[in-house]
Structure formats: structure tokens, C-alpha cells
Amino acid sequence: MNLIFSGTNRKHSNSLKVAKFYQKEFRNRGEEFEILSLEDLPEDIINTDLYGKRSPEFAEIQQMVSEAKKFVFIIPEYNGSYPGVLKVFVDACAFPASFFHKKAALVGLSTGKYGNIRGVDHFTGVCNYVRLHVLPLKIHIPLIQNEINQEGDFTDPLTLKFITEQIEEIVRY
């Protein structure tokens, strides 16, 4: 099993739209990736699943993460970095079973013009710390609100070219 993380708990997020696009593209290539939206985390995760605690709700999520071999993190920009809920999620996951020597690809997005370059860089440091191998090709999608249409498809040919290149590399990774 492989997982795509929609890296925010915001309802109806652009991150989830991008995650669904990636999932569709993987399926077109015969690859199965499940989506795990951080919307689905236990609401009280800070009290229920940190510091050695484990709730039944998160235990199911933990099992999915432990069984996965590859990950795609869709990371929206929050205050010049990545969402705090994404860090809480990583902190709640079991170490080393969750990420140790597994593979990941990172996709940054923002409503601004830089596509969360800084946040992806920050999250790369976290990935390195938990010994998650990060694909060197990182995608940054600025002005996401102009990039994806109502059907959930990317409209800019150049953006689509880079996304396609990354997806192909993830499949081979």
C-alpha cells in the first residue's frame, strides 16, 4: 500500500483536490495510492495520541502508515511553512515503524507566488530526521486557485509537465 497525505485538516482544501488528482494519475499508471486526509485525524489528537498514548481512531491510521511503502505529501503553505497539524501527525506516528527508510515525494502549494518552497524545505528536514528518503524532484505549485479547474484537473501545461515527471519518478522510485 502507498499513501497520499492531504497535509491540512482544513475542510474542502486545495490540498485534497491535488491529492485526488495525484491518486487518479497513479491509477492511470496501474499504481494504487490511498488518500489520507488530515481532516480525518482524531479531533483531540494532541491529548489522545502523543507521548505514548494511542486512540482506537488513530490506531487504524497508524496501521495504514506502518504498512505503506511510499508516501506523497501534499503540503499547503501556512504562515511561510507547513501546517502545524502535519507536524502533530508525524509526531503522533510510531517511530521507527512509520517512516524509517521508506520513500516520499513532496508537493508544495500556495495561494501566493512561491508554491510553499520554504515549507517544503522545512518538512524535508523533518523527513530526513525520521529517515524518510525524499525524492529529489519536489513540485511547487503557486497560485493553486488558478491552476486547478472545477473538475480537479490542472490546466497549465507546464505545471502538468512537472507533475507528470514527478509522478513517473515516484512510480520508479
Side-chain angles (χ1 to χ4, degrees), residues 80-95:
S81 191
Y82 61 89
V85 70
L86 180 56
K87 180 64 165 75
V88 169
F89 167 72
V90 171
D91 290 347
C93 286
F95 182 83

Side-chain angles (χ1 to χ4, degrees), residues 137-153:
L137 178 58
K138 299 168 188 171
I139 301 298
H140 303 280
I141 306 169
L143 303 169
I144 187 63
Q145 67 277 14
N146 301 333
E147 290 278 348
I148 199 161
N149 65 21
Q150 294 289 350
E151 293 77 38
D153 292 317

Side-chain angles (χ1 to χ4, degrees), residues 4 11-12 22 26 42 47 60 72 82 107 117 119 131 157 159-160 169:
I4 302 169
K11 304 288 184 203
H12 314 295
Y22 268 72
F26 281 122
N47 293 316
E60 292 176 27
V72 177
Y82 61 89
V107 180
I117 292 171
R131 297 194 195 170
T159 301
L160 193 53
E169 287 194 23

Side-chain angles (χ1 to χ4, degrees), residues 63-161:
Q63 183 175 350
M64 291 173 64
V65 172
S66 295
E67 291 174 2
K69 301 296 181 212
K70 294 180 186 179
F71 305 105
V72 177
F73 289 90
I74 310 298
I75 308 170
E77 182 176 340
Y78 277 40
N79 299 315
S81 191
Y82 61 89
V85 70
L86 180 56
K87 180 64 165 75
V88 169
F89 167 72
V90 171
D91 290 347
C93 286
F95 182 83
S98 299
F99 304 113
F100 203 77
H101 292 295
K102 295 181 181 181
K103 298 173 180 179
L106 308 181
V107 180
L109 55 105
S110 68
T111 56
K113 66 180 187 174
Y114 297 111
N116 198 17
I117 292 171
R118 188 177 307 135
V120 168
D121 189 44
H122 292 168
F123 192 71
T124 299
V126 172
C127 292
N128 292 338
Y129 186 83
V130 298
R131 297 194 195 170
L132 186 57
H133 300 284
V134 177
L135 182 72
L137 178 58
K138 299 168 188 171
I139 301 298
H140 303 280
I141 306 169
L143 303 169
I144 187 63
Q145 67 277 14
N146 301 333
E147 290 278 348
I148 199 161
N149 65 21
Q150 294 289 350
E151 293 77 38
D153 292 317
F154 282 89
T155 57
D156 184 277
L158 187 58
T159 301
L160 193 53
K161 174 188 176 292

